[in-house]
Amino acid sequence: MNAKPRGLLISERFLARNAAALDAASREGGLTLEPIVVPDDPEARVDADACTRIELAYFSGDVFPERSRAFFAAALNAPALRWLQVFNAGVDHPVFQRFVEKGVRLTTAAGSSAEPIAQTAFAGLLMLARGFPHWLDAQARGAWEPTPLSNVPADLRGQTLLVFGLGAIGSELARLARAFGLRVIGVRRSPAAGGEPVDELHPPERLRDLLPRADWLALACALTDETRSAIDAAALALLPRGARVLNVSRGGVVDELALIAALREGRLAGAYLDVFAEEPLPRESPLWTLPNVIVTPHNSSVSRGNEQRAADIFLRNLVRYGRGERLANEVRA
């Protein structure tokens, strides 16, 4: 075992909940660790001398200033930092790019919250498909208003769901959709490996050819230079009249003004949106009040099991790091 202690920046909460598992993983990876703990007190700071000993860091929270200021202040001032693992699946926040630019290896917890996100997106799909916005509006007004015969929903079975981004989230959403009888078309960069839960799989350059076939467009891709504004006015116009959009990726994937226009004009029949161009979503945004639009506050992932699933990904990567093996979910510059 390497006797030289490696400074590991972690939260007080993580250490309290995972001390035994952390010790086991470090021994399995042949590491001797010195935990450098970020106190739960948001006003606390990590000692400057301790920062010089940080080689590894695990960020086990979301990027909110009041919760993360002390952690990132220490990590950004750690000259020996070599590897940062984050709780997040997406790392488009500018703070993460700063680490990549410094040459720090960056890994994510991609997949840890895939099930709750996919379940929430599918709940949005079901609510739209079954006409819940109408019923919820009537309930808020205390009105008994059965669905009018002119607006009886179509059967869900046999409709087509187009999933843009067939990673862990998109794959789980596809699996759920097929269980309900939808035909699923997946779009992703990597070629088929076998076992994908879709009826068809295509590369991103085929996206616009596929849009006219979609009753539902689900966005589950990462925000990259290639996906930013990929769903613009022209793309939305290719969807059949009456199609619906589900977005659990990032607001920047969609031209939000074009989306609002399509919803207002009735070309789109509805949308479930968890992410937006500006967050929090401004009070004056029409999305709050448009009929057949369901808004959630970038909260589709919330679930009690996420914290432990993300911790387990980090602990497995810690073993790999100690052994000099390839790290899972590493972000490439």
Side-chain angles (χ1 to χ4, degrees):
M1 179 178 290
N2 190 341
K4 179 183 177 182
R6 315 285 189 95
L8 170 63
L9 183 69
I10 50 174
S11 70
E12 183 178 356
R13 176 187 175 94
F14 173 83
L15 184 60
R17 295 189 171 198
N18 298 276
L22 179 62
D23 181 63
S26 60
R27 284 187 283 106
E28 187 177 351
L31 293 166
T32 301
L33 297 177
E34 176 197 358
I36 297 172
V37 180
V38 180
D40 289 338
D41 180 358
E43 300 301 319
R45 294 292 181 270
V46 176
D47 178 79
D49 180 64
C51 288
T52 65
R53 303 195 300 276
I54 297 171
E55 179 182 332
L56 326 171
Y58 174 48
F59 178 56
S60 54
D62 284 328
V63 188
F64 295 109
E66 67 275 12
R67 303 179 193 175
S68 61
R69 186 177 293 111
F71 179 93
F72 285 113
L76 289 167
N77 286 287
L81 180 64
R82 296 177 57 193
W83 168 42
L84 168 64
Q85 168 93 31
V86 299
F87 175 91
N88 312 64
V91 287
D92 48 284
H93 193 284
V95 72
F96 297 127
Q97 187 59 36
R98 294 177 65 182
F99 289 101
V100 173
E101 291 169 354
K102 292 175 66 172
V104 176
R105 299 178 72 181
L106 179 65
T107 56
T108 76
S112 62
S113 58
E115 282 194 359
I117 294 174
Q119 290 165 2
T120 308
F122 198 71
L125 182 154
L126 286 175
M127 291 179 71
L128 291 168
R130 298 301 306 146
F132 269 77
H134 167 78
W135 289 328
L136 291 173
D137 176 68
Q139 179 182 350
R141 294 182 282 106
W144 185 268
E145 294 182 357
T147 301
L149 293 177
S150 61
N151 199 32
V152 172
D155 289 348
L156 195 57
R157 181 175 296 278
Q159 294 188 35
T160 297
L161 170 68
L162 175 60
V163 182
F164 182 33
L166 204 68
I169 295 167
S171 293
E172 179 61 14
L173 179 57
R175 187 189 68 81
L176 292 171
R178 292 182 83 194
F180 277 73
L182 282 90
R183 180 174 182 81
V184 180
I185 303 173
V187 174
R188 75 173 183 205
R189 286 180 298 176
S190 54
E196 290 85 356
V198 297
D199 297 287
E200 300 176 31
L201 183 63
H202 298 275
E205 52 267 28
R206 290 290 318 284
L207 175 64
R208 300 210 172 195
D209 297 330
L210 299 167
L211 288 170
R213 299 171 56 191
D215 299 296
W216 302 85
L217 171 62
L219 306 175
C221 57
L223 180 61
T224 66
D225 290 342
E226 290 73 27
T227 63
R228 189 179 299 277
S229 297
I231 309 303
D232 56 13
L236 292 170
L238 291 171
L239 289 167
R241 188 173 187 86
R244 298 175 174 97
V245 173
L246 316 170
N247 192 3
V248 289
S249 58
R250 287 292 187 267
V253 174
V254 181
D255 181 334
E256 199 165 276
L257 293 178
L259 177 64
I260 291 169
L263 289 162
R264 278 177 163 166
E265 294 165 12
R267 288 185 286 111
L268 291 180
Y272 164 64
L273 307 171
D274 186 53
V275 290
F276 306 91
E278 181 181 347
E279 296 181 0
L281 183 64
R283 289 178 61 88
E284 63 272 15
S285 171
L287 293 171
W288 287 114
T289 55
L290 279 173
N292 291 334
V293 173
I294 300 170
V295 167
T296 54
H298 203 149
N299 214 207
S300 64
S301 67
V302 64
S303 190
R304 291 183 183 178
N306 289 345
E307 184 175 358
Q308 192 57 55
R309 284 189 289 268
D312 291 343
I313 291 172
F314 164 64
L315 292 168
R316 290 193 293 270
N317 258 349
L318 184 63
V319 174
R320 295 186 182 101
Y321 182 87
R323 293 175 173 175
E325 299 173 355
R326 181 177 180 178
L327 301 180
N329 297 337
E330 184 160 5
V331 176
R332 302 298 176 183

